[in-house]
Amino acid sequence: MSAASRLGIGHGPADILAQGHPQAHGHAHDHGPDHPHGHPHGHAHDPGHRHAHGAADAAPADGPWPAEVALRVRDLTIAWRGHPAVHHLNGRFARGQLTAVVGPNGAGKSTLLGALAGQHPGHEGHVERAADLRLAWLPQLSAIDRSFPVRVDELVAMGLWAEIGAFGRVSAAQRQRIAAALSAVGLAGFERRWLGELSVGQAQRVLFARLVVQDAGLILLDEPFSAIDARTRDDLLRLLGQWRDEGRTVIAVLHEMEPVRLHFDETLLLAREAIAWGPTAEVLTDAHLRRARHMAEAWDEQASTCTLPPAAGDAS
């Protein structure tokens, strides 16, 4: 495994995806309401689910890009280890807002975020983002090898990958940016500490400092507050609020509902398909949460991947 992989460096397909360059060119199926995608595909499809930002609201793929949209998905289906994880998802993520992705365990939340980051190139459907937005992706902290021998400033400097490449030298101005980023996350003076010396919360602050240095307009976070202390969580939530004030778009997979209700503008409630997607207060209702739990109880973990014939006019 490469050093970049061990330290969760998000580069590659995620950095080149842009409007007009879909991450994967699957068949864009247009199903009517009678399309039979229920239990045989691993979940009980509920025709009552709500898309506040559904496919009907999105501009045509070859039309002008909507100014209010950062990223959109069209008929996105993802399999994980041969089983359905996300099924026929359509919608858009609003620009300049904080969007939470929540749902039961096994709902496909992290799998969806990986697809948005370009980590599941074999999926069906389309993932597209606005051409002016660079993407930064932070995987789960558990995916980071904290035993890797790297100093804090070196890890944060990896956020400069797009500027200096793998072997470029860090300039004095860039070192000032690194110091400022560490100060912004409450770690001023930690530059020469080893990653392995830090607590879990401090390590997550370092990874957020790397995001600050990356200076991306679209930021994907996979369970960023898992296993960290409440003070660190609150400090990082304030940083997310600053990013929103700067016009950045944040999409985060979360488990705790309290920070979602208090801090996130929009929420996608996922149970392998969208139960509800829109303003957080409208999504996190008792009825929607109950429906998500019922969907989870009906999942068939041995179901095969949903495979559909090409729509009329599609190339096989």
Side-chain angles (χ1 to χ4, degrees):
M1 182 181 293
S2 69
S5 297
R6 293 173 68 183
L7 296 173
I9 306 300
H11 61 89
D15 289 333
I16 60 175
L17 177 66
Q19 177 190 352
H21 294 81
Q23 179 178 310
H25 297 274
H27 296 301
H29 305 294
D30 183 12
H31 317 301
D34 295 328
H35 172 65
H37 54 291
H39 286 282
H41 304 299
H43 62 278
H45 174 65
D46 188 334
H49 70 262
R50 169 181 171 274
H51 294 284
H53 297 316
D57 292 333
D62 57 352
W65 186 266
E68 73 278 9
V69 176
L71 184 149
R72 66 187 177 193
V73 295
R74 294 187 291 117
D75 202 31
L76 180 64
T77 295
I78 314 166
W80 175 249
R81 295 180 178 174
H83 299 292
V86 177
H87 191 81
H88 294 291
L89 184 65
N90 290 280
R92 60 187 188 176
F93 293 90
R95 182 188 287 261
Q97 295 195 5
L98 307 183
T99 298
V101 180
V102 303
N105 290 334
K109 304 181 296 294
S110 293
T111 301
L112 171 62
L113 203 72
L116 300 182
Q119 303 302 307
H120 291 286
H123 64 247
E124 292 186 2
H126 301 277
V127 177
E128 302 163 317
R129 80 165 184 258
D132 62 320
L133 292 181
R134 287 194 302 109
L135 184 150
W137 176 52
L138 182 62
Q140 295 180 25
L141 184 59
S142 60
I144 308 299
D145 183 358
R146 293 172 55 215
S147 69
F148 191 85
V150 62
R151 295 190 185 273
V152 165
D153 61 345
E154 295 170 339
L155 179 53
V156 177
M158 292 178 184
L160 300 168
W161 190 294
E163 299 178 30
I164 63 176
F167 303 105
R169 299 189 62 178
V170 178
S171 69
Q174 289 168 332
R175 291 199 177 279
Q176 290 179 354
R177 285 170 55 190
I178 291 170
L182 286 169
S183 178
V185 299
L187 292 182
F190 275 63
E191 286 85 348
R192 300 309 293 165
R193 296 277 294 273
W194 292 101
L195 177 63
E197 297 175 349
L198 306 184
S199 68
V200 172
Q202 289 171 335
Q204 190 71 318
R205 289 174 186 263
V206 172
L207 296 174
F208 267 74
R210 188 177 72 190
L211 291 173
V212 171
V213 168
Q214 283 183 266
D215 194 27
L218 174 60
I219 302 167
L220 309 181
L221 307 173
D222 194 356
E223 299 188 24
F225 309 132
S226 178
I228 64 175
D229 58 279
R231 179 181 175 182
T232 296
R233 181 200 62 189
D234 292 343
D235 287 349
L236 297 180
L237 280 167
R238 280 192 288 272
L239 181 59
L240 264 59
Q242 294 174 21
W243 286 344
R244 175 179 52 199
D245 293 344
E246 295 166 358
R248 305 180 197 274
T249 303
V250 177
I251 304 170
V253 170
L254 298 172
H255 280 287
E256 295 183 43
M257 293 300 178
E258 181 183 3
V260 175
R261 295 182 190 277
L262 292 177
H263 299 279
F264 282 75
D265 309 293
E266 298 203 341
T267 296
L268 166 58
L269 176 56
L270 194 66
R272 301 193 181 175
E273 63 180 62
I275 300 298
W277 191 348
T280 295
E282 298 177 16
V283 169
L284 296 184
T285 64
D286 290 342
H288 287 150
L289 293 171
R290 186 165 52 250
R291 185 179 300 145
R293 289 193 297 270
H294 289 166
M295 296 278 283
E297 292 170 359
W299 290 336
D300 177 5
E301 297 301 337
Q302 301 305 313
S304 59
T305 303
C306 177
T307 302
L308 298 173
D314 282 353
S316 59

